[in-house]
């Protein structure tokens, strides 16, 4: 499955004013009415624990030039936000310079092997003209014919 291209997101949340986040490539759009998306997170991760507490999250779809942010949020660094531009948006961490972002609330949380599937309702979404970052065949890139809507 590593050869299947996927969007690169950094999913963020906050508990008691402390931000947490991780790089997530298991992200998909599910429904327009109501607007639903899904993410897959490994059981036992700090991000999953924090999302289960807060029940809210921000999906930051990285832009084509944010490979370093993807790598930093995929690392085991204690403070993954260090040196990354971000702001609070509706009480959630939103990364600067992303291609798009969506503020979400958890609708359901289901076990899926060693992961959990989190189904979220999109409350707010913003798009830019910036091409997104994708990951496939263990390489970062962007769609060769990306044309913003």
């Amino acid at each position: 499955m590593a050869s299947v291209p996927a969007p690169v997101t950094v999913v963020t949340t906050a508990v008691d004013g402390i931000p947490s986040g991780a790089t997530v490539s298991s992200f998909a759009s599910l429904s327009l009415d109501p607007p639903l998306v899904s993410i897959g997170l490994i059981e036992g991760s700090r991000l999953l624990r924090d999302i289960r507490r807060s029940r809210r999250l921000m999906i930051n779809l990285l832009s084509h030039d944010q490979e370093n942010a993807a790598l930093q949020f995929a690392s085991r660094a204690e403070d993954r936000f260090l040196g990354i531009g971000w702001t609070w948006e509706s009480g959630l961490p939103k990364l600067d310079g992303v291609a798009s972002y969506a503020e979400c609330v958890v609708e359901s949380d289901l076990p899926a092997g060693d992961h959990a599937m989190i189904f979220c309702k999109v409350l707010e979404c913003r798009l830019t003209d910036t091409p997104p970052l994708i990951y496939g065949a263990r390489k970062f890139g962007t769609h060769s014919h990306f044309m913003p809507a």
Side-chain angles (χ1 to χ4, degrees), residues 2 5 15-16 23 27 38 45 49-50 54 57 66 77 82 88-92 99 103 107 126 128 141 145:
V15 174
D16 299 328
T23 300
F27 162 75
S38 69
S45 69
R49 181 197 71 215
D50 289 349
S54 72
L57 57 118
Q66 291 185 304
L82 187 64
W88 291 105
E89 179 82 25
S90 301
L92 294 167
E103 175 190 346
E107 290 281 307
R126 295 278 190 249
T128 71
H145 300 289

Side-chain angles (χ1 to χ4, degrees), residues 27-51:
F27 162 75
S29 173
L30 292 178
S31 169
L32 287 176
D33 188 19
L36 298 173
V37 297
S38 69
I39 59 169
L41 298 173
I42 193 161
E43 284 289 351
S45 69
R46 175 182 168 198
L47 180 60
L48 180 58
R49 181 197 71 215
D50 289 349
I51 287 172

Side-chain angles (χ1 to χ4, degrees), residues 89-109:
E89 179 82 25
S90 301
L92 294 167
K94 184 192 82 62
L95 303 187
D96 296 343
V98 295
S100 65
Y101 66 93
E103 175 190 346
C104 304
V105 62
V106 174
E107 290 281 307
S108 60
D109 172 351

